């Protein structure tokens, strides 16, 4: 495993869906962790990462985990990958 993103979210959350779509379009591996039916788990994740909205995105590499933040933070984190796509990323066009 070189890198994978953990996406903590809620299935009908628009920002969560956009984050997943962006990662798919960029062909970046991710795991969606559905928190729909566990309010206590959602609360514990928010406290663990000191982040208070969804999605909560975490990059996992051999070196460890890094909190990315939310969807806007993801856009910034993958900006180099987006530049490589120059105009072909429909997710950005629809923002």
């Amino acid at each position: 495993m070189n890198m994978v993103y953990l996406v903590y979210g809620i299935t009908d959350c628009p920002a969560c869906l956009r984050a997943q779509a962006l990662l798919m379009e960029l062909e970046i591996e991710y795991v969606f962790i559905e928190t729909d039916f566990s309010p206590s788990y959602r609360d514990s994740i928010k406290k663990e990462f000191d982040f208070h909205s969804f999605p909560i995105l975490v990059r996992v590499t051999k070196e460890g985990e890094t909190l990315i933040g939310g969807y806007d933070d993801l856009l910034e984190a993958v900006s180099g990958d987006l530049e490589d796509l120059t105009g072909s990323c429909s997710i950005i066009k629809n923002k």
Side-chain angles (χ1 to χ4, degrees):
M1 171 187 74
N2 292 330
M3 177 183 64
V4 67
Y5 279 78
L6 303 179
V7 181
Y8 294 91
I10 302 167
T11 54
D12 63 351
C13 160
C16 300
L17 295 171
R18 284 193 307 270
Q20 292 177 80
L22 177 61
L23 291 169
M24 279 190 279
E25 187 142 356
L26 294 173
E27 298 181 358
I28 296 173
E29 287 187 48
Y30 73 93
V31 175
F32 181 74
I33 301 164
E34 179 184 315
T35 64
D36 293 29
F37 302 105
S38 184
S40 61
Y41 184 67
R42 277 196 306 267
D43 290 342
S44 71
I45 290 299
K46 287 177 182 180
K47 287 178 187 170
E48 178 182 343
F49 292 109
D50 194 26
F51 201 81
H52 303 287
S53 64
F54 285 102
I56 297 173
L57 293 124
V58 177
R59 181 186 297 134
V60 181
T61 64
K62 293 176 186 174
E63 289 76 37
E65 294 184 356
T66 303
L67 173 66
I68 299 302
Y71 176 72
D72 291 335
D73 303 305
L74 175 63
L75 284 174
E76 187 176 320
V78 298
S79 63
D81 296 324
L82 294 174
E83 288 172 13
D84 293 343
L85 292 177
T86 315
S88 66
C89 187
S90 61
I91 303 303
I92 301 307
K93 291 177 185 175
N94 296 327
K95 185 174 179 218

